[in-house]
Amino acid sequence: MTLLDGKSLSAVLERDLTEQIAALVSQGVTPGLAVILVGNNPASCAYVQMKAKACKRVGIYSVTHEMPSKITQDELLSVIEILNNDPNIDGILVQLPLPAHIQTSKVLEAINPKKDVDGFHPFNIGRLSVNVDTFVPATPLGVMNLLQSYDIDVSGKDVVIVGMSNIVGKPLASLMLNAGASVSCCHILTRDVKQYTKNADIVCVAVGKVGLLSADMIKEGAVVIDIGINRLESGVLVGDVDFESVAPKSSFITPVPGGVGPMTIVTLLQNTYKAAMYRLEQRMQV
Ligand code: GUN
């Protein structure tokens, strides 16, 4: 069994990116990321803080807009409009989930698709589904890059994804399809998840339920990608996979923490760099 070490890979990618960003800055473009945080959900606050720190490490200018949970949808939309028109901001990220009185789809669709570093705008989701260059959501793209760095070819493989969120499961299914995998999508209404997972070459789990994947649910030598993040009452962070029993049966497996999580952060940084490159290209055209 080999650990898929996202922590080490992300550190290497961050170093490369830092150099690329320095080169961009020397051409007069400092990548800028605006993060919008509504309310004070502790997990969201922690993620936003991690993203801001990561930006600082690689030389991305980042600004966090903290909004009260009572903010109206129209107020939020007007903040996005200002950021859409801010020439120093290349990427806009609205941390999810949003409070229930706000229509998430309205907010995501208000972001200029060229600044949509999360890849959640339907324009970018559509482009992903037809396999043309676009912003791709950070967590699933991070998974693909982690697999690739270990020379794990998904082409022709049987891949099962458990959990069909718009943020992770659905875009991961598109990426896997684009890469030539045969993809099965399991979700809350799937009657027998094990029937799918036990035959799969690669099992990806993104549900948010401790112990969801146990050793009896995979075949010998499967690749296991754990995208869940759960905090136990003890404060310990675990994924969705029963790591102790599943790891010895797998060929490759991601740890939690230190697997997919760090890949998500570095991929967001790469997406922000990509957005800043658009700014440079546009400047060259003038
Ligand atoms: N909430 C959980 N994951 C994400 C993410 O990748 N992006 C945003 N914006 N919100 C999230």
Side-chain angles (χ1 to χ4, degrees), residues 51 93-97 118 120 139 167 264:
K51 290 169 185 176
L93 181 158
V94 179
Q95 187 65 28
L96 302 179
D118 253 334
F120 294 163
T139 300
I167 293 177
T264 296

Side-chain angles (χ1 to χ4, degrees), residues 164-183:
M164 276 300 116
S165 69
N166 291 336
I167 293 177
V168 179
K170 287 185 201 168
L172 183 57
S174 293
L175 284 167
M176 288 288 186
L177 271 178
N178 291 347
S182 299
V183 184

Side-chain angles (χ1 to χ4, degrees), residues 107-263:
V107 171
L108 297 179
E109 284 175 36
I111 297 171
N112 177 348
K114 294 261 187 236
K115 295 191 175 190
D116 174 35
V117 287
D118 253 334
F120 294 163
H121 192 292
F123 177 88
N124 288 317
I125 295 167
R127 287 176 68 88
L128 170 61
S129 76
V130 293
N131 197 12
V132 293
D133 182 51
T134 192
F135 287 116
V136 176
T139 300
L141 183 55
V143 168
M144 300 305 285
N145 290 338
L146 186 57
L147 288 169
Q148 195 181 29
S149 84
Y150 282 82
D151 289 327
I152 299 169
D153 187 8
V154 307
S155 176
K157 300 280 171 59
D158 291 325
V159 174
V160 173
I161 301 165
V162 187
M164 276 300 116
S165 69
N166 291 336
I167 293 177
V168 179
K170 287 185 201 168
L172 183 57
S174 293
L175 284 167
M176 288 288 186
L177 271 178
N178 291 347
S182 299
V183 184
S184 301
C185 299
C186 295
H187 46 76
I188 189 101
L189 299 177
T190 303
R191 277 174 295 181
D192 186 358
V193 173
K194 181 177 172 181
Q195 183 200 322
Y196 293 88
T197 56
K198 75 178 183 205
N199 294 311
D201 301 307
I202 302 172
V203 180
C204 307
V205 192
V207 173
K209 189 167 176 215
V210 177
L212 183 90
L213 193 79
S214 46
D216 59 306
M217 294 173 74
I218 66 160
K219 74 177 181 187
E220 197 71 46
V223 175
V224 178
I225 306 294
D226 191 349
I227 314 170
I229 302 180
N230 310 288
R231 196 172 284 282
L232 301 179
E233 271 181 27
S234 61
V236 171
L237 219 55
V238 297
D240 291 350
V241 173
D242 176 25
F243 187 86
E244 227 166 79
S245 72
V246 171
K249 203 174 171 184
S250 66
S251 55
F252 293 88
I253 187 167
T254 56
V256 176
V260 173
M263 293 303 297

Side-chain angles (χ1 to χ4, degrees), residues 18-159:
T18 304
E19 284 177 20
Q20 290 173 295
I21 288 172
L24 191 54
V25 171
S26 73
Q27 293 175 85
V29 174
T30 300
L33 174 68
V35 176
I36 299 176
L37 173 64
V38 181
N40 50 12
N41 175 312
S44 291
C45 292
Y47 289 136
V48 164
Q49 225 171 42
M50 274 160 50
K51 290 169 185 176
K53 274 190 190 161
C55 282
K56 205 162 185 184
R57 285 198 299 271
V58 299
I60 292 174
Y61 158 71
S62 88
V63 50
T64 302
H65 296 266
E66 292 181 24
M67 312 287 176
S69 56
K70 292 191 311 256
I71 190 173
T72 68
Q73 182 168 299
D74 283 344
E75 284 167 332
L76 186 52
L77 291 175
S78 59
V79 172
I80 290 172
E81 192 51 31
I82 290 167
L83 295 170
N84 279 341
N85 293 310
D86 185 337
N88 294 314
I89 292 298
D90 301 291
I92 302 170
L93 181 158
V94 179
Q95 187 65 28
L96 302 179
L98 289 170
H101 68 277
I102 294 175
Q103 245 183 300
T104 301
S105 61
K106 281 262 171 14
V107 171
L108 297 179
E109 284 175 36
I111 297 171
N112 177 348
K114 294 261 187 236
K115 295 191 175 190
D116 174 35
V117 287
D118 253 334
F120 294 163
H121 192 292
F123 177 88
N124 288 317
I125 295 167
R127 287 176 68 88
L128 170 61
S129 76
V130 293
N131 197 12
V132 293
D133 182 51
T134 192
F135 287 116
V136 176
T139 300
L141 183 55
V143 168
M144 300 305 285
N145 290 338
L146 186 57
L147 288 169
Q148 195 181 29
S149 84
Y150 282 82
D151 289 327
I152 299 169
D153 187 8
V154 307
S155 176
K157 300 280 171 59
D158 291 325
V159 174

